[in-house]
Amino acid sequence: MPGLLRSEQDDRQDFTPSERFPIKSSIMADHNVTNHIEDRSKEEGLSAINGSPGEVIQYQTNGNLSATGRSQADSSQLAADSSKQLPPEIARITMGYLPLSDLITRLVQETFNGITEVVNDMSELQMPQSNGSVPVNPSQASVQKKTRLLDFAQDRRAKFIKILVLSQWSRRAESISRVIDMKAWLDAQTRQYDGACSWIGELRRIIAFERMPNPDLKTALEALSMGKVGGLPDLGYLPPEQVPPQRFLKMLRSINTQLTIRLRLHEPIPPRLKNYSVSNGRVTFRVPSEFEVDLSIADENPSSQLYFIDFRFLFSPTPAGIPQGPLRDDLEARVNALLSHAGLKGCYEFLHNFVMSHKLNIFRHQAYRMSQASWSEHLKVEALHRSLVIQYWITRPGAKSWIELGIRRRNAKRSSWLHEEEDEPHIGVRWFCCGKEVADVPLIIDLGNLSVEAILKQIISAHTNATFKEIRTKLREGHLYSQRTLRLRHTRSTIEPAAISLSVQFTKSQSCSIIQEPVSGRMVLLPPSSLCSRAERDLNSLISPEKTAATCIANLRSAACCEEVERTLRCYGWTVANSVRPNPDKTRHHFGRETLRASFFRKKTWDAQWLFAFTASLAGDSWWIVELDNGSSRVDQTAAPGPSIRAAFKVLSRANPVALRELSYPELSQIEVTAAGMICQHTDSRQLARQKIPHRLVKTGSTRPSSPFPALCIRLPNAHVKTALQTQEFAKVPRHSQVVLLSFIGTDESDSYANHLVTAQSNCSTLRSRSLDSMDEDSVALHPTSGAFAFRLRTAVGTSAIPGLLGCLAKIQRLIVYISVVQASKIHKFSLRHVEFTYATEPHDLRAKVTFIGEGPPRISFENGNPHLRIQNQLAVLLQEPGGLKHVILLLAVTLPLMRALAAMEAVLGDDKVDILSRSVEWYQIRLPKQLAKFDLRLRKRRQEFMWFVEEARLPDGKKTDSRVHERFRSMIKEKGEGWSGMSPGIVASLSGVEALLKKMDEVFQDLQATEPAPNEVEDSNVQKRKREEDAEKIVVLD
């Protein structure tokens, strides 16, 4: 049985049901049948079909079939079988063969599923119950169960028997497979033999027609040698009578006369045959662009018919006449028959239809040649009866377009009033453009020079002109082309479609020409570019170009304009924000319904939330400022990825649009300044509204081009003017006016930062009394008489200037406070950053400078040589406290004598002999390193008066002061001098007398600096040595 073969691999597979499927032994109804198959397999063994013939399958204990080793006795049999293998010319057929193991596996699985279903059905049948004493007869349910189980076992047994038969047959499958291969090879040889015989017979039949007869050499030899052939019969015909030329000419003239009289008097002539001439015994009727026919008479009777003489075509391409042959004979017979019963009218109608049919055949042949040559794959030609259908541009999408060339026949309704010449049939053309017939086609058909290509070019020209006209009309609806801002020119042609073009100007420097290929109908955009390539692909995929091509061209114009702007702005330092890609609906929502494309740009110095945008459309090009959404309120999940647009504002600039002229740097700078001003004004207004500060826009009346924006008039309550000074002095100082004007005055050309001008009126008399020259800050100007002041603010575009304005006003308020505090001193310079004043004039002018650094604490500084440099850091700390400046100025006056005295002491003794430490502005310490002595100077209040108290300080680690220093200081306590007096345990000096006290101490201890300290009587030599070492170490540390 072909189609079922077993292989060695199939036999070795484990197909035992108990191992491959979870079958319980209790429900195996066909277990005996399976065991029977296994036993037969063990006894006989199964031969492998695709393996060696002598290889035997042995049944293993685990249920698998495996091949045993070949015995020595089977080797000879294997060699004999290998000689029986088919030659390589005979192909082995293996297609459609299935492994036997698959069939066995499928049957075992079906058996398992079937026994499971039988057991489930048997469990649903209810058995009758017995009372335990009387046996119950078998019920119908029991019979059904047994019957069902036996039927299933019988069916399974039959199928397993079939598997057994197939298993036994498979032992001979190799031989049968060889027979099948031999049979297929013999059938193929038979078919080849029959095909060869058929080919030889067909070749003999074809050659028979090409065979030429053998030449008659005998007759040819006789004719060439004797000049006659004796075997040919003589029919006895008489030769025609020779007519003399004079008589022949007279006959022709007579015939001409008869024809003239007959045509003038007796013969009705159709209107199209009015053009005729009589000569040489015949009348020649000439129909322009159709034919010429020669007729004559055979009898003088006017009622006799005319006879056909000759016929010629009057158009090309065609031969001038019809050669002798069956066609001419049939034409002559038909014309003579029509002349006999229908006269000249019937002859004309027949010849007219004959010529029209011939012209249509010429058109058809020309169309077929075109479809196979230069117009291949773009032209489809169909001949329907006496009509010719030519479909062009078959590869373009959309509705079909075609022309029909045929014969227009008479219309019964119109024939009653039409002229006879207009009523006759003629060749006409019908044009169907995109499936709709176009009436009144301005088509010129030259019937004298037939050319279907010329007709097709006229139709395609009309089609292209109509398409470009519709595109031009739709583009004219836009403002740019309707107002002649951009050029739009349509070049027309009625006979050559390749000469038709539509020139569209995009910008001043860019334009494009659109042409349509006559053969394929594809739109081509010149000059080629990447944008034109994409637009060309879109145009050629449109179903109705005349309706939707204008949108593609408008998109191309917008893309080209945006590309030019992007290229220009990149050169000027702008960056294209490619991450901002709003969908078309969002673009039209923010920039207008007519917007086709938008490009977004980013400036490095601008805030990241603001962009500069350029939009292009047929209505005109515009510049915009765009505010991006920060993402917190974004809920539109359908929007394109990237930042979303929160708002857009049109930039009102006097610069010409890109369509009119090339974008130059001055124009771009003007647009940028305008956009920056709008952004700053919008940001400031939003910030003021957020802080609930009253404001409004007012016109400043400025005529400067750099300030075209109205100013923000801001009314500032005191609570919004923050300052670093919150003291009582600040509350007493008069403030500036609450009305402030904030104006945008342009951007810096270097970094494009925005410049703002703030003007206000001050009520402080301190500022009014100062001269303008005292302000050394260029960004702040002060009018000395009116008190008006102005200052500039410099912020990044997109960043609000309101915080800077409030901070600057706070600085001015702080300046007023400081000036009011130091107004008793001589002020040299003051600005928003510092105040410089003179606080003492002896021994020379001593100046202090208070500097304000940003929002940080103020600092105080002194010039080189100023005695207060010693306590500069302590004064700076005090300056940060409430009322700090007033306290510092008081301390400067209090500590000035002391600072002068300490400086003089250091100058006389030197740094190596005296050390002065500033513990604070009220506590100082004088150290004499060599004498191992310390003195503290403290500022204390005694009897409502500040005085300096000097006392001897204790040394660390129980050390004692030099006895000489101690004795001399004790002697000074008992003395009294100018502004100072001794008071145990120290000396008290007034603020002005401390300088005399320190001078006295300098004189008392000056002679001790040159000698070493004397030893103490109570200390032995070892103690003295240890003290000297400690003093030496301390001196080193101080140095």
Side-chain angles (χ1 to χ4, degrees):
M1 184 180 293
L4 182 62
L5 296 180
R6 293 172 52 187
S7 63
E8 180 182 355
Q9 182 180 2
D10 301 330
D11 293 336
R12 292 183 178 181
Q13 291 180 352
D14 183 9
F15 59 87
T16 303
S18 62
E19 293 184 9
R20 296 196 58 181
F21 305 98
I23 305 176
K24 297 182 180 180
S25 59
S26 60
I27 61 173
M28 289 296 295
D30 54 351
H31 185 65
N32 296 331
V33 180
T34 306
N35 293 336
H36 177 69
I37 295 174
E38 294 177 354
D39 295 340
R40 293 292 301 273
S41 300
K42 292 177 182 178
E43 294 173 1
E44 300 177 3
L46 298 179
S47 165
I49 300 306
N50 295 335
S52 300
E55 188 172 344
V56 180
I57 307 302
Q58 183 179 359
Y59 186 82
Q60 302 296 328
T61 57
N62 60 356
N64 293 335
L65 294 178
S66 61
T68 63
R70 299 187 181 89
S71 63
Q72 184 69 21
D74 294 337
S75 60
S76 59
Q77 182 67 24
L78 177 61
D81 292 340
S82 62
S83 63
K84 297 179 182 180
Q85 295 292 334
L86 295 176
E89 290 81 3
I90 300 178
R92 293 297 302 273
I93 300 176
T94 60
M95 184 180 299
Y97 286 1
L98 300 175
L100 183 60
S101 61
D102 292 351
L103 184 60
I104 296 175
T105 302
R106 180 65 180 272
L107 181 59
V108 171
Q109 182 67 34
E110 288 182 354
T111 303
F112 171 73
N113 296 336
I115 193 64
T116 303
E117 184 179 357
V118 169
V119 171
N120 294 334
D121 295 343
M122 292 172 61
S123 64
E124 296 177 358
L125 297 176
Q126 301 294 333
M127 297 291 294
Q129 303 293 332
S130 63
N131 54 10
S133 59
V134 181
V136 180
N137 295 329
S139 63
Q140 186 68 22
S142 177
V143 174
Q144 289 179 359
K145 288 184 178 181
K146 295 177 181 179
T147 304
R148 178 69 183 275
L149 184 60
L150 291 176
D151 291 342
F152 176 77
Q154 184 68 21
D155 178 67
R156 293 292 99 183
R157 180 178 180 277
K159 291 187 178 181
F160 274 97
I161 290 175
K162 292 180 182 179
I163 293 295
L164 177 62
V165 173
L166 290 176
S167 176
Q168 294 175 352
W169 175 87
S170 64
R171 301 188 186 96
R172 298 186 298 274
E174 179 69 20
S175 301
I176 296 176
S177 177
R178 292 179 182 177
V179 173
I180 293 173
D181 297 340
M182 288 292 297
K183 179 65 170 58
W185 182 79
L186 289 175
D187 291 343
Q189 295 297 321
T190 302
R191 288 192 298 270
Q192 293 180 3
Y193 175 78
D194 294 341
C197 294
S198 300
W199 179 78
I200 293 174
E202 183 68 17
L203 181 63
R204 183 179 180 279
R205 186 183 66 82
I206 296 174
I207 292 176
F209 295 98
E210 303 297 332
R211 182 179 178 182
M212 297 181 63
N214 296 328
D216 188 1
L217 299 178
K218 181 179 179 181
T219 304
L221 182 60
E222 182 181 0
L224 292 175
S225 60
M226 304 299 293
K228 62 180 181 178
V229 179
L232 293 179
D234 187 7
L235 300 179
Y237 289 129
L238 296 176
E241 181 182 0
Q242 296 290 334
V243 180
Q246 294 79 6
R247 183 181 175 187
F248 187 75
L249 180 60
K250 183 178 180 181
M251 292 173 58
L252 291 178
R253 289 176 177 173
S254 176
I255 294 174
N256 293 340
T257 303
Q258 293 294 329
L259 286 173
T260 304
I261 294 173
R262 181 172 179 172
L263 294 175
R264 293 291 182 89
L265 300 178
H266 306 286
E267 194 71 30
I269 301 176
R272 296 298 300 271
L273 296 181
K274 293 293 185 180
N275 183 12
Y276 65 89
S277 62
V278 179
S279 63
N280 299 326
R282 66 183 68 183
V283 56
T284 302
F285 292 98
R286 181 183 180 89
V287 180
S289 301
E290 290 193 15
F291 63 87
E292 279 185 351
V293 61
D294 294 342
L295 304 178
S296 186
I297 59 176
D299 194 353
E300 296 181 356
N301 187 3
S303 60
S304 62
Q305 76 169 61
L306 298 172
Y307 290 93
F308 176 82
I309 302 299
D310 197 4
F311 180 83
R312 294 173 298 278
F313 292 110
L314 296 182
F315 56 89
S316 62
T318 186
I322 300 177
Q324 297 293 334
L327 178 60
R328 183 180 176 86
D329 296 340
D330 183 71
L331 179 64
E332 182 177 355
R334 287 177 176 270
V335 171
N336 288 331
L338 289 171
L339 287 173
S340 64
H341 67 270
L344 290 177
K345 184 176 181 180
C347 175
Y348 167 73
E349 291 178 355
F350 171 74
L351 293 178
H352 180 61
N353 287 323
F354 172 71
V355 169
M356 287 191 299
S357 298
H358 186 49
K359 287 183 177 180
L360 291 177
N361 286 332
I362 294 175
F363 284 142
R364 179 172 57 85
H365 287 295
Q366 290 179 350
Y368 277 125
R369 285 197 299 269
M370 289 173 58
S371 64
Q372 297 172 1
S374 59
W375 295 68
S376 61
E377 300 181 358
H378 301 287
L379 210 63
K380 185 178 180 181
V381 181
E382 294 182 6
L384 303 175
H385 304 292
R386 296 178 69 187
S387 299
L388 179 65
V389 179
I390 304 175
Q391 180 185 349
Y392 60 93
W393 296 350
I394 61 176
T395 58
R396 279 196 59 86
K400 300 178 181 179
S401 298
W402 71 90
I403 60 173
E404 293 182 3
L405 280 81
I407 298 175
R408 290 186 178 271
R409 301 187 179 276
R410 300 175 181 178
N411 191 342
K413 296 181 180 180
R414 299 176 57 193
S415 59
S416 59
W417 55 271
L418 283 176
H419 193 270
E420 186 175 358
E421 294 184 1
E422 299 177 357
D423 194 27
E424 64 182 13
H426 60 279
I427 294 179
V429 178
R430 297 175 64 192
W431 176 29
F432 291 85
C433 180
C434 298
K436 298 180 180 179
E437 184 177 1
V438 180
D440 301 330
V441 182
L443 187 64
I444 300 175
I445 303 177
D446 187 3
L447 296 178
N449 186 13
L450 301 181
S451 176
V452 71
E453 185 175 5
I455 298 175
L456 190 59
K457 283 186 175 182
Q458 292 185 60
I459 294 296
I460 292 177
S461 298
H463 193 165
T464 305
N465 282 324
T467 302
F468 284 178
K469 181 180 179 181
E470 190 68 22
I471 295 174
R472 180 174 175 269
T473 302
K474 291 184 178 297
L475 290 177
R476 288 283 188 187
E477 295 176 358
H479 179 78
L480 292 177
Y481 294 105
S482 62
Q483 299 298 325
R484 301 297 193 274
T485 304
L486 297 176
R487 295 190 306 271
L488 187 63
R489 183 175 59 188
H490 179 198
T491 303
R492 297 177 176 83
S493 177
T494 57
I495 58 176
E496 185 55 50
I500 302 174
S501 65
L502 180 65
S503 298
V504 183
Q505 185 184 11
F506 296 155
T507 62
K508 179 178 176 59
S509 59
Q510 295 189 61
S511 61
C512 178
S513 296
I514 308 172
I515 62 175
Q516 194 167 19
E517 293 182 357
V519 177
S520 62
R522 290 180 54 85
M523 297 281 190
V524 179
L525 278 68
L526 300 175
S529 63
S530 58
L531 289 177
C532 291
S533 299
R534 291 193 293 268
E536 184 177 319
R537 183 174 60 252
D538 296 339
L539 284 174
N540 292 320
S541 62
L542 297 177
I543 296 178
S544 300
E546 63 277 358
K547 296 180 180 180
T548 55
T551 303
C552 291
I553 297 174
N555 290 330
L556 174 61
R557 186 262 160 192
S558 301
C561 191
C562 290
E563 186 181 61
E564 180 177 339
V565 172
E566 290 177 4
R567 186 170 55 251
T568 304
L569 264 65
R570 280 195 184 100
C571 298
Y572 294 147
W574 291 81
T575 304
V576 181
N578 294 320
S579 60
V580 182
R581 297 189 300 271
N583 55 39
D585 294 337
K586 291 291 184 181
T587 302
R588 288 190 290 269
H589 172 72
H590 291 289
F591 303 109
R593 294 181 303 172
E594 298 180 351
T595 302
L596 300 176
R597 192 180 181 92
S599 295
F600 301 92
F601 307 92
R602 194 184 302 275
K603 196 78 171 179
K604 293 182 179 179
T605 56
W606 284 21
D607 188 83
Q609 195 175 357
W610 289 92
L611 298 178
F612 192 43
F614 173 80
T615 59
S617 65
L618 294 182
D621 305 330
S622 303
W623 299 96
W624 300 74
I625 54 173
V626 177
E627 184 181 10
L628 299 180
D629 197 349
N630 55 13
S632 59
S633 59
R634 182 177 179 180
V635 296
D636 188 5
Q637 301 298 333
T638 62
S644 59
I645 298 177
R646 180 180 181 181
F649 307 95
K650 191 173 184 179
V651 177
L652 303 176
S653 175
R654 292 190 296 271
N656 293 325
V658 180
L660 297 178
R661 54 188 301 175
E662 296 182 1
L663 190 63
S664 61
Y665 181 75
E667 293 178 351
L668 180 61
S669 299
Q670 181 181 351
I671 297 172
E672 179 184 350
V673 170
T674 305
M678 294 179 62
I679 293 174
C680 293
Q681 192 174 84
H682 182 79
T683 307
D684 295 339
S685 298
R686 181 180 295 176
Q687 182 69 21
L688 292 172
R690 186 181 297 113
Q691 297 184 4
K692 298 181 180 181
I693 299 177
H695 65 280
R696 60 187 179 91
L697 294 175
V698 296
K699 294 183 179 180
T700 58
S702 175
T703 58
R704 294 180 301 169
S706 60
S707 180
F709 302 99
L712 276 173
C713 182
I714 307 171
R715 182 175 296 277
L716 293 174
N718 294 334
H720 290 85
V721 184
K722 298 180 180 180
T723 180
L725 301 176
Q726 301 294 343
T727 61
Q728 297 179 357
E729 292 82 359
F730 175 76
K732 297 178 182 179
V733 173
R735 286 162 175 74
H736 51 73
S737 175
Q738 293 182 343
V739 178
V740 178
L741 289 180
L742 177 63
S743 304
F744 174 79
I745 58 175
T747 58
D748 290 339
E749 296 183 359
S750 58
D751 52 10
S752 299
Y753 269 69
N755 292 323
H756 306 268
L757 179 63
V758 181
T759 57
Q761 185 75 24
S762 176
N763 299 326
C764 181
S765 59
T766 305
L767 290 180
R768 292 186 179 184
S769 62
R770 301 296 173 181
S771 173
L772 185 62
D773 296 337
S774 63
M775 302 292 291
D776 63 347
E777 186 70 23
D778 295 337
S779 61
V780 180
L782 176 66
H783 197 276
T785 57
S786 63
F789 62 91
F791 57 89
R792 291 187 302 171
L793 291 177
R794 188 171 179 270
T795 61
V797 177
T799 303
S800 176
I802 301 303
L805 181 144
L806 298 178
C808 194
L809 292 178
K811 291 178 182 180
I812 294 176
Q813 194 69 32
R814 180 176 57 186
L815 177 64
I816 296 173
V817 172
Y818 277 62
I819 291 176
S820 62
V821 173
V822 300
Q823 60 183 350
S825 304
K826 181 180 180 182
I827 300 176
H828 294 277
K829 295 181 180 179
F830 67 93
S831 67
L832 297 180
R833 291 203 297 260
H834 65 271
V835 175
E836 186 175 354
F837 58 93
T838 300
Y839 63 89
T841 57
E842 294 181 0
H844 56 80
D845 290 347
L846 297 179
R847 295 184 181 182
K849 183 176 182 180
V850 179
T851 306
F852 317 108
I853 302 177
E855 299 296 334
R859 297 181 181 179
I860 189 169
S861 60
F862 302 95
E863 298 177 349
N864 292 334
N866 194 307
H868 281 95
L869 281 173
R870 187 185 308 276
I871 59 173
Q872 177 176 332
N873 295 334
Q874 290 85 344
L875 293 176
V877 174
L878 293 175
L879 189 63
Q880 301 174 15
E881 298 177 357
L885 182 60
K886 185 176 181 180
H887 192 191
V888 167
I889 293 176
L890 177 61
L891 288 175
L892 289 176
V894 169
T895 59
L896 179 59
L898 177 62
M899 294 298 106
R900 286 201 299 259
L902 293 177
M905 180 180 292
E906 285 182 341
V908 173
L909 298 179
D911 295 339
D912 56 342
K913 296 180 181 180
V914 64
D915 293 332
I916 300 175
L917 300 180
S918 300
R919 299 290 187 179
S920 67
V921 294
E922 300 174 356
W923 180 16
Y924 303 90
Q925 191 175 77
I926 302 175
R927 295 182 179 181
L928 302 176
K930 293 183 178 181
Q931 282 71 31
L932 199 62
K934 296 181 181 180
F935 299 96
D936 288 337
L937 281 81
R938 297 177 184 271
L939 182 64
R940 294 179 179 178
K941 195 172 184 180
R942 182 172 179 271
R943 297 177 182 178
Q944 302 300 322
E945 183 180 358
F946 286 102
M947 303 187 71
W948 292 101
F949 182 73
V950 182
E951 62 181 351
E952 187 178 359
R954 294 181 181 181
L955 297 178
D957 300 333
K959 298 177 183 180
K960 295 183 179 180
T961 309
D962 188 357
S963 59
R964 294 177 298 172
V965 176
H966 179 71
E967 292 176 358
R968 293 191 181 188
F969 183 74
R970 298 298 296 177
S971 63
M972 287 186 63
I973 294 176
K974 299 176 182 180
E975 298 179 3
K976 184 178 181 182
E978 183 180 358
W980 63 274
S981 62
M983 183 179 295
S984 182
I987 302 174
V988 177
S990 64
L991 297 180
S992 58
V994 69
E995 189 172 2
L997 173 61
L998 293 181
K999 186 176 181 180
K1000 178 65 177 178
M1001 291 178 64
D1002 187 17
E1003 294 174 355
V1004 170
F1005 301 120
Q1006 186 173 9
D1007 59 341
L1008 297 178
Q1009 303 299 325
T1011 61
E1012 295 293 333
N1016 198 321
E1017 291 79 8
V1018 297
E1019 294 179 344
D1020 57 1
S1021 60
N1022 295 330
V1023 175
Q1024 295 175 6
K1025 183 177 180 181
R1026 186 169 58 254
K1027 286 185 177 181
R1028 285 196 299 270
E1029 292 176 355
E1030 291 178 358
D1031 292 340
E1033 292 178 359
K1034 290 182 178 296
I1035 292 173
V1036 172
V1037 172
L1038 291 174
D1039 289 341

